[in-house]
Each structure stands twice: as C-alpha cells, then as structure tokens.
Amino acid sequence: MSLPHAILTALLERPSSGLELTRRFDKSIGYFWSATHQQIYRELGKLEAEGYIRALPSEQPARGQKKSYEVLPAGRDELARWTAASQDPKPLRDTMLLRLRAAAVVGTAGIGADLRHHLTLHQRQLAEYEEIQQRDFPPGKDTPQDRLRHLVLRAGIDLETFWTQWLTHALEEFEQLPEPEPLPEPERR
C-alpha cells in the first residue's frame, strides 16, 4: 500500500483537511499504514498537482484557513486501478526476530525484558481492536462496505492474537534456556 492510495481512500470516504486526515489516520488507517502530519501534507500537494484531488472552495478567505480536499474522477480511477492490480505479499521484517537470532551468538542480555514489553504492547493493541470491533461492528451491520472494513479489523485482531500467543510461547521458552555460549571472535590479523 502506498500513502497516496491511503489518502485517496480516506478522502473518498469523507472530504477532509490535512489535519482531519492526520486525526483519522491515527484512529483507523494508521493502525496498518501510518503517516506523519508532514507526510500527509506533502502527499496532498502531490495529489493535487497530479489532478487526483482538489481543494474545496472556502466560504472565507483562504489565508490561515484549513483547506479541505475531495477526490476528482482521475483520483478515483487511480485508486480503482491500484486496487485491481495484483501485488505479492511483502516478506516479514521484524527486529525482535532478528535480535533473537543475534542473541544466539552474542548473548541474551535485555531480550527477556523486551519480550515482556512487546507482549504487553501487543496485548494492549489486541484489546483496543476488540473494543473497536464490539463498538463499530455489532451483529447485523453487514453492508458490503462494513464487511470489508471489518475484514481489515479482523486482520489486525488475528495478527495481534498471533503475536500475543507467539510472545507468550517465546517467553516460556526463553525462561528455560541457559545463557548461550558466545561464538568465539574471529582471529584478527
């Protein structure tokens, strides 16, 4: 996914200003595609220059007023083209997994505490997603749009469930391990 497509999606759902987009990203799209305020404003400028969006006319003088944007037909076409295109999944890149691999050769200092910290964060995120599911997707709310949005949320719930289960198992395993012997340092010439 790319930031321009995330912005087009959000603007098609509801025309917004850059500040409103930032707030909406923090509460929805940002769970799986984050962006800073500056990145959003930079992309809004690019999307406007490409003819994908336009600033809505303001009822008051523009100076100091926040601009709201809407998607133009070319922007909708670009989002539809991107949505229909095939994309391969991205390989998983997680620093905790790499650090565990490195701990096998240099020692495990700090890893246990960080595993517990990650578990707490994932448990917190899972609870937040479950709360959103209960609040936003009650039984009977099943329009096609709602069902697709719920699928995205379910992906988050399933991923956080995976991480909490894996981290729980990793901590159990980690606590039973003796400290590994570091590999010998290579000879220096």
Side-chain angles (χ1 to χ4, degrees):
M1 178 180 215
S2 69
L3 181 55
H5 297 104
I7 290 172
L8 287 171
T9 299
L11 289 175
L12 279 169
E13 291 174 342
R14 185 174 66 234
S16 303
S17 68
L19 180 59
E20 290 165 339
L21 280 172
T22 301
R23 289 180 181 149
R24 287 175 56 207
F25 265 66
D26 289 345
K27 294 179 183 173
S28 62
I29 292 174
Y31 287 122
F32 56 90
W33 193 264
S34 61
T36 65
H37 189 71
Q38 293 83 4
Q39 289 171 317
I40 289 172
Y41 273 97
R42 189 171 34 246
E43 287 302 324
L44 285 170
K46 290 177 187 176
L47 290 167
E48 189 172 25
E50 291 170 358
Y52 291 157
I53 65 172
R54 72 175 179 130
L56 292 169
S58 178
E59 296 172 7
Q60 298 184 4
R63 188 158 181 83
Q65 293 290 343
K66 61 182 179 181
K67 287 196 269 186
S68 286
Y69 296 89
E70 70 177 354
V71 177
L72 296 171
R76 180 181 282 277
D77 291 346
E78 167 54 22
L79 188 59
R81 180 209 59 77
W82 178 80
T83 301
S86 177
Q87 293 183 359
D88 291 336
K90 301 284 186 236
L92 174 66
R93 293 176 64 179
D94 187 276
T95 56
M96 177 54 78
L97 298 176
L98 182 58
R99 289 174 60 220
L100 281 172
R101 181 73 182 247
V105 294
V106 298
T108 59
I111 297 290
D114 212 31
L115 284 169
R116 284 185 287 283
H117 176 68
H118 280 235
L119 178 58
T120 299
L121 293 176
H122 284 286
Q123 288 169 330
R124 210 176 288 155
Q125 190 64 63
L126 177 58
E128 186 174 342
Y129 286 164
E130 289 172 338
E131 183 180 308
I132 291 169
Q133 178 176 248
Q134 190 172 20
R135 179 190 70 220
D136 294 349
F137 298 100
K141 187 173 182 180
D142 62 353
T143 67
Q145 295 86 354
D146 289 331
R147 291 172 71 183
L148 290 172
R149 289 181 186 117
H150 194 192
L151 275 174
V152 174
L153 179 61
R154 282 295 323 169
I157 289 170
D158 292 348
L159 283 169
E160 294 304 328
T161 299
F162 161 78
W163 281 115
T164 56
Q165 290 172 348
W166 182 84
L167 284 160
T168 299
H169 174 74
L171 273 166
E172 290 168 358
E173 189 75 25
F174 181 81
E175 289 168 359
Q176 294 176 16
L177 294 175
E179 177 69 23
E181 294 290 324
L183 293 178
E185 291 190 32
E187 287 184 29
R188 296 194 176 147
R189 295 179 185 202

